[in-house]
Amino acid sequence: MSLQHALRQRAPRETAVAQRLTGDDLIARVLLIAAALFLLLFLFAPMIAIFMRVLLDSRGEFVGLAHFRDYFATPGVWRSAWNSVWVSATVALITVPLAFVFAYALTRSCMPGKGVFRLIALIPLLSPSLLPAISFIQWFGNQGALRPLLGDAQIYGAPGIIIAQVYNTFPHALMILVTALALADARLYEAADALGTRAWRKFTTITLPACKYGLLSAVTVVFTYVVSDFGAPKVIGGNFNMLAIDVFKQVIGQHDFSRGAVVGLLLLVPTALAFAVDRHARRRLRAQLTARSVPLSPRRRPLFDAAMTAYCALVCAALLAVIGMAVFTSAIQLWPYNLTPTLRHYRYVLVEGDMAGAFYNSLRLAGWTALFGTAIVFVNAYLIEKTRGLDWARPAMHLMAMLSMAVPGLVLGLGYIMFFNHPSNPLGGLYQTMAILVLATVVHYYTPSHLTAVTALQQLDAEFESVSASLKVPFYRTFWRVTVPVCLPALLEIARYFFVVSLATLSVVVFLYSYDTVLASVAIMNLDEAGDVGPAAALATLVVVASAAICAVYAALARLLVARTQRWRAPAAA
């Protein structure tokens, strides 16, 4: 058979494959465009609605910068802005060093009980942001158990906000810093030992430079969290004003959405700047481990290990004291006058009051967010990383996925009001439904989940898709039969993250709930406002218990599913 005849016979087969690939590529492009539209519709459109609202009056007429001029003429506005900045910076300067030492103990020491210490350190993730504020009032308030320690000082105002936010942000900084410190090349430390380098010099010349970007990321995350959170300032802040409180007062208290939009844009400025600094620093990030790197294994140093154990025990004791005071408050008659044990606060929350519905709504929100959020995030990440075509759109979609982290929850919720409550919006039926709460929560917590999914997908060789294409297997079948089973641990991690943060979230939903969709976090805020501290602590305790139970179920489910679907990870028998 001549070569020319063989090529003529092969051409139809190649044409058929090309047509099949073209069909798959068309489906992938349609799905990629749908994913981009999701982010545009539920992230950028609400932000545009805020920008438009600050330029228009209540009748829809253009007023330019009049709302800005009116707001800046209000007495105390600059003090609120300055308070937000310096309190957030102070919390970052306190939290990051505390979390760094804790992470250093977990990764660079041989202290006992690392698993227990790490588990306790992550407890604040499970609790609503109002819980530490309530607990610190019980500890250091006017009738607090440790009030004499403060002397003439007061816990209300900036001091209370700072310590409450240190508690809230500690686990966020810890997770970033543990990851940063885990990447270490033992050869650098061996070379330093061979040269007789002192421990402090090794720390300043090897350890700190290697994790400087992790430190910067931790500062950025903590600063962004504090500047946009209003739960703790509202409970323990007293008359200490911050921008997040101003947004809440303008929208909920005065129903002035135009001025609320102005404050929301101002609130977006410091978080956007912090995010931009972090992104600029990450461009200079270089891999800390190479193929020749040797993992660092800590050596036993009795004195150092004992010091790290004592430090971690002290931090964990402080964290448990916060949770413990909330639990104690929920189980007594009335602090500090009647300390008789009782379950009446739980009975009031679950039976006599109307908070059982709020707790159930929070469980519904967390469940739907975990289900749909995990699916949306992972499918979108797969379309960005593993499909072909529309190469110009992929960086833009990744940027949109990252920018959701820079939008404070209050600002996002305010944008949802202005966008979905507009009379001309065909999606207005979503307003004041559980669906809009789920969508807002997914978008608000999109970035960490997206990064988790991308990290898992990047570990898969591109040959999976290439081989599937050569065998004329549609990409969506490869996704379902190969990618999903291999990335199952990451999927479970994303689902757990969505569930836990949704159960305790407040800022992004405080403007969006209706009478039928009141959440536990909102009910806790309302109970505290009414002076019902015992029921508020009881409901907060129930949220923590539910989150802990879900984490336990997740651990058991993950172990079962991973054992059945990840057998290929086990080393082969000799």
Side-chain angles (χ1 to χ4, degrees), residues 96-132:
V96 173
L98 289 175
F100 181 84
V101 177
F102 202 102
Y104 194 85
L106 292 176
T107 56
R108 303 297 174 87
S109 74
C110 294
M111 68 177 185
K114 288 185 179 181
V116 176
F117 285 139
R118 186 168 184 173
L119 181 63
I120 295 174
L122 297 180
I123 283 180
L125 287 177
L126 310 180
S127 59
S129 62
L130 288 81
L131 184 144

Short mmCIF file of all heavy atoms in Angstrom, two decimals, residues 96-132:
data_model
loop_
_atom_site.label_atom_id
_atom_site.label_comp_id
_atom_site.label_asym_id
_atom_site.label_seq_id
_atom_site.Cartn_x
_atom_site.Cartn_y
_atom_site.Cartn_z
N VAL A 96 -1.19 38.11 63.96
CA VAL A 96 -0.22 37.41 63.11
C VAL A 96 0.99 36.92 63.91
O VAL A 96 1.39 35.75 63.76
CB VAL A 96 0.19 38.31 61.92
CG1 VAL A 96 1.32 37.67 61.13
CG2 VAL A 96 -1.01 38.56 61.01
N PRO A 97 1.60 37.72 64.78
CA PRO A 97 2.70 37.16 65.60
C PRO A 97 2.24 36.01 66.50
O PRO A 97 2.95 35.02 66.66
CB PRO A 97 3.17 38.36 66.42
CG PRO A 97 2.81 39.54 65.60
CD PRO A 97 1.51 39.18 64.95
N LEU A 98 1.05 36.15 67.13
CA LEU A 98 0.55 35.07 67.97
C LEU A 98 0.37 33.79 67.15
O LEU A 98 0.77 32.69 67.58
CB LEU A 98 -0.78 35.46 68.61
CG LEU A 98 -0.74 36.54 69.70
CD1 LEU A 98 -2.15 36.91 70.13
CD2 LEU A 98 0.07 36.06 70.90
N ALA A 99 -0.24 33.92 65.98
CA ALA A 99 -0.47 32.75 65.14
C ALA A 99 0.85 32.20 64.57
O ALA A 99 0.99 30.99 64.40
CB ALA A 99 -1.41 33.12 64.00
N PHE A 100 1.81 33.09 64.32
CA PHE A 100 3.09 32.63 63.77
C PHE A 100 3.82 31.74 64.78
O PHE A 100 4.35 30.68 64.43
CB PHE A 100 3.96 33.82 63.40
CG PHE A 100 5.29 33.44 62.83
CD1 PHE A 100 5.42 33.13 61.49
CD2 PHE A 100 6.43 33.36 63.63
CE1 PHE A 100 6.65 32.77 60.94
CE2 PHE A 100 7.66 32.99 63.11
CZ PHE A 100 7.76 32.69 61.76
N VAL A 101 3.87 32.17 66.03
CA VAL A 101 4.53 31.36 67.06
C VAL A 101 3.81 30.02 67.22
O VAL A 101 4.45 28.96 67.35
CB VAL A 101 4.59 32.11 68.39
CG1 VAL A 101 5.23 31.25 69.47
CG2 VAL A 101 5.39 33.41 68.23
N PHE A 102 2.49 30.04 67.18
CA PHE A 102 1.71 28.81 67.30
C PHE A 102 2.01 27.89 66.11
O PHE A 102 2.22 26.68 66.28
CB PHE A 102 0.22 29.14 67.36
CG PHE A 102 -0.62 28.07 67.97
CD1 PHE A 102 -1.07 28.18 69.28
CD2 PHE A 102 -0.99 26.95 67.25
CE1 PHE A 102 -1.86 27.19 69.86
CE2 PHE A 102 -1.77 25.96 67.80
CZ PHE A 102 -2.21 26.08 69.11
N ALA A 103 2.02 28.45 64.90
CA ALA A 103 2.32 27.65 63.71
C ALA A 103 3.76 27.14 63.75
O ALA A 103 4.03 26.01 63.31
CB ALA A 103 2.09 28.50 62.45
N TYR A 104 4.66 27.95 64.26
CA TYR A 104 6.06 27.53 64.38
C TYR A 104 6.17 26.34 65.34
O TYR A 104 6.93 25.40 65.09
CB TYR A 104 6.90 28.70 64.89
CG TYR A 104 8.39 28.50 64.75
CD1 TYR A 104 9.03 28.80 63.56
CD2 TYR A 104 9.16 28.03 65.81
CE1 TYR A 104 10.40 28.63 63.42
CE2 TYR A 104 10.51 27.85 65.69
CZ TYR A 104 11.13 28.16 64.49
OH TYR A 104 12.49 27.96 64.35
N ALA A 105 5.40 26.39 66.41
CA ALA A 105 5.42 25.27 67.35
C ALA A 105 4.87 24.00 66.70
O ALA A 105 5.39 22.89 66.94
CB ALA A 105 4.59 25.63 68.59
N LEU A 106 3.83 24.14 65.87
CA LEU A 106 3.24 22.96 65.23
C LEU A 106 4.15 22.35 64.18
O LEU A 106 4.14 21.13 63.97
CB LEU A 106 1.90 23.34 64.57
CG LEU A 106 0.75 23.72 65.51
CD1 LEU A 106 -0.46 24.15 64.70
CD2 LEU A 106 0.38 22.55 66.42
N THR A 107 4.95 23.17 63.51
CA THR A 107 5.74 22.68 62.37
C THR A 107 7.22 22.48 62.68
O THR A 107 7.88 21.69 62.01
CB THR A 107 5.62 23.66 61.19
OG1 THR A 107 6.03 24.97 61.61
CG2 THR A 107 4.19 23.71 60.67
N ARG A 108 7.75 23.17 63.68
CA ARG A 108 9.20 23.13 63.91
C ARG A 108 9.59 22.59 65.27
O ARG A 108 10.76 22.70 65.66
CB ARG A 108 9.79 24.54 63.74
CG ARG A 108 9.51 25.17 62.38
CD ARG A 108 10.15 24.38 61.24
NE ARG A 108 9.77 24.89 59.94
CZ ARG A 108 10.40 25.87 59.31
NH1 ARG A 108 11.42 26.46 59.88
NH2 ARG A 108 10.00 26.25 58.11
N SER A 109 8.65 22.05 66.03
CA SER A 109 8.99 21.48 67.33
C SER A 109 8.52 20.03 67.39
O SER A 109 7.79 19.55 66.51
CB SER A 109 8.33 22.28 68.47
OG SER A 109 6.95 22.00 68.54
N CYS A 110 8.93 19.35 68.43
CA CYS A 110 8.51 17.97 68.67
C CYS A 110 7.63 17.88 69.91
O CYS A 110 7.65 16.89 70.64
CB CYS A 110 9.74 17.06 68.82
SG CYS A 110 10.73 16.88 67.33
N MET A 111 6.87 18.94 70.16
CA MET A 111 6.02 18.95 71.34
C MET A 111 4.91 17.90 71.21
O MET A 111 4.46 17.59 70.10
CB MET A 111 5.41 20.34 71.54
CG MET A 111 4.41 20.73 70.48
SD MET A 111 3.67 22.33 70.83
CE MET A 111 2.46 22.43 69.51
N PRO A 112 4.43 17.38 72.30
CA PRO A 112 3.35 16.39 72.25
C PRO A 112 1.99 17.06 72.02
O PRO A 112 1.83 18.26 72.28
CB PRO A 112 3.41 15.73 73.63
CG PRO A 112 3.97 16.80 74.52
CD PRO A 112 4.94 17.58 73.67
N GLY A 113 1.02 16.30 71.54
CA GLY A 113 -0.35 16.79 71.42
C GLY A 113 -0.57 17.81 70.33
O GLY A 113 -1.44 18.67 70.45
N LYS A 114 0.19 17.74 69.24
CA LYS A 114 0.02 18.72 68.17
C LYS A 114 -1.39 18.69 67.59
O LYS A 114 -1.98 19.73 67.28
CB LYS A 114 1.05 18.47 67.07
CG LYS A 114 2.47 18.84 67.43
CD LYS A 114 3.38 18.66 66.23
CE LYS A 114 4.82 19.04 66.56
NZ LYS A 114 5.72 18.90 65.40
N GLY A 115 -1.92 17.48 67.39
CA GLY A 115 -3.26 17.38 66.81
C GLY A 115 -4.32 18.03 67.67
O GLY A 115 -5.22 18.72 67.17
N VAL A 116 -4.22 17.84 68.97
CA VAL A 116 -5.19 18.44 69.88
C VAL A 116 -5.07 19.96 69.88
O VAL A 116 -6.08 20.69 69.82
CB VAL A 116 -5.00 17.89 71.31
CG1 VAL A 116 -5.93 18.58 72.29
CG2 VAL A 116 -5.24 16.38 71.32
N PHE A 117 -3.84 20.45 69.94
CA PHE A 117 -3.63 21.90 69.92
C PHE A 117 -4.18 22.52 68.64
O PHE A 117 -4.83 23.58 68.67
CB PHE A 117 -2.14 22.22 70.06
CG PHE A 117 -1.60 22.04 71.45
CD1 PHE A 117 -0.35 21.47 71.66
CD2 PHE A 117 -2.33 22.44 72.56
CE1 PHE A 117 0.15 21.29 72.94
CE2 PHE A 117 -1.83 22.28 73.85
CZ PHE A 117 -0.60 21.70 74.03
N ARG A 118 -3.92 21.88 67.53
CA ARG A 118 -4.39 22.44 66.25
C ARG A 118 -5.91 22.43 66.17
O ARG A 118 -6.53 23.38 65.67
CB ARG A 118 -3.80 21.66 65.09
CG ARG A 118 -4.12 22.25 63.72
CD ARG A 118 -3.27 21.63 62.64
NE ARG A 118 -3.52 22.28 61.35
CZ ARG A 118 -2.83 22.04 60.26
NH1 ARG A 118 -1.83 21.15 60.29
NH2 ARG A 118 -3.10 22.65 59.13
N LEU A 119 -6.53 21.37 66.67
CA LEU A 119 -7.98 21.29 66.66
C LEU A 119 -8.60 22.39 67.51
O LEU A 119 -9.57 23.06 67.09
CB LEU A 119 -8.42 19.91 67.17
CG LEU A 119 -9.94 19.65 67.20
CD1 LEU A 119 -10.51 19.70 65.79
CD2 LEU A 119 -10.21 18.31 67.85
N ILE A 120 -8.05 22.61 68.69
CA ILE A 120 -8.58 23.66 69.57
C ILE A 120 -8.38 25.04 68.93
O ILE A 120 -9.25 25.91 69.03
CB ILE A 120 -7.91 23.59 70.95
CG1 ILE A 120 -8.28 22.28 71.65
CG2 ILE A 120 -8.30 24.79 71.81
CD1 ILE A 120 -7.55 22.06 72.96
N ALA A 121 -7.25 25.23 68.26
CA ALA A 121 -6.95 26.54 67.66
C ALA A 121 -7.92 26.89 66.55
O ALA A 121 -8.10 28.07 66.23
CB ALA A 121 -5.52 26.54 67.12
N LEU A 122 -8.57 25.90 65.95
CA LEU A 122 -9.51 26.16 64.85
C LEU A 122 -10.95 26.32 65.34
O LEU A 122 -11.85 26.55 64.52
CB LEU A 122 -9.44 25.01 63.83
CG LEU A 122 -8.09 24.84 63.13
CD1 LEU A 122 -8.16 23.68 62.15
CD2 LEU A 122 -7.68 26.12 62.39
N ILE A 123 -11.19 26.22 66.64
CA ILE A 123 -12.54 26.35 67.18
C ILE A 123 -13.20 27.68 66.82
O ILE A 123 -14.41 27.71 66.53
CB ILE A 123 -12.52 26.13 68.71
CG1 ILE A 123 -12.39 24.63 69.03
CG2 ILE A 123 -13.77 26.69 69.37
CD1 ILE A 123 -12.36 24.31 70.51
N PRO A 124 -12.49 28.82 66.83
CA PRO A 124 -13.17 30.08 66.48
C PRO A 124 -13.83 30.07 65.11
O PRO A 124 -14.76 30.86 64.88
CB PRO A 124 -12.04 31.11 66.55
CG PRO A 124 -11.10 30.55 67.56
CD PRO A 124 -11.13 29.07 67.34
N LEU A 125 -13.37 29.21 64.21
CA LEU A 125 -14.01 29.13 62.90
C LEU A 125 -15.45 28.65 63.00
O LEU A 125 -16.28 28.94 62.13
CB LEU A 125 -13.23 28.18 61.98
CG LEU A 125 -11.89 28.66 61.43
CD1 LEU A 125 -11.25 27.55 60.62
CD2 LEU A 125 -12.07 29.91 60.59
N LEU A 126 -15.76 27.90 64.05
CA LEU A 126 -17.08 27.29 64.18
C LEU A 126 -18.10 28.21 64.84
O LEU A 126 -19.29 27.90 64.83
CB LEU A 126 -16.98 26.00 65.01
CG LEU A 126 -15.91 24.99 64.60
CD1 LEU A 126 -15.96 23.78 65.52
CD2 LEU A 126 -16.07 24.57 63.15
N SER A 127 -17.66 29.32 65.40
CA SER A 127 -18.56 30.15 66.20
C SER A 127 -18.91 31.44 65.47
O SER A 127 -18.11 31.97 64.69
CB SER A 127 -17.90 30.49 67.55
OG SER A 127 -16.68 31.17 67.35
N PRO A 128 -20.12 31.96 65.69
CA PRO A 128 -20.49 33.27 65.13
C PRO A 128 -19.58 34.37 65.66
O PRO A 128 -19.04 34.26 66.77
CB PRO A 128 -21.94 33.47 65.61
CG PRO A 128 -22.42 32.11 65.98
CD PRO A 128 -21.21 31.35 66.46
N SER A 129 -19.42 35.43 64.87
CA SER A 129 -18.50 36.50 65.26
C SER A 129 -18.96 37.24 66.51
O SER A 129 -18.16 37.91 67.16
CB SER A 129 -18.32 37.48 64.10
OG SER A 129 -19.57 38.10 63.77
N LEU A 130 -20.25 37.12 66.87
CA LEU A 130 -20.74 37.79 68.06
C LEU A 130 -20.40 37.04 69.33
O LEU A 130 -20.41 37.63 70.42
CB LEU A 130 -22.27 37.97 68.00
CG LEU A 130 -22.82 39.00 67.02
CD1 LEU A 130 -22.90 38.44 65.61
CD2 LEU A 130 -24.20 39.47 67.46
N LEU A 131 -20.11 35.75 69.24
CA LEU A 131 -19.88 34.95 70.44
C LEU A 131 -18.72 35.47 71.28
O LEU A 131 -18.86 35.60 72.50
CB LEU A 131 -19.67 33.49 70.06
CG LEU A 131 -19.51 32.50 71.22
CD1 LEU A 131 -20.16 31.17 70.88
CD2 LEU A 131 -18.04 32.26 71.55
N PRO A 132 -17.54 35.76 70.72
CA PRO A 132 -16.46 36.26 71.59
C PRO A 132 -16.79 37.58 72.24
O PRO A 132 -16.38 37.83 73.38
CB PRO A 132 -15.27 36.37 70.63
CG PRO A 132 -15.86 36.45 69.28
CD PRO A 132 -17.08 35.61 69.33
#
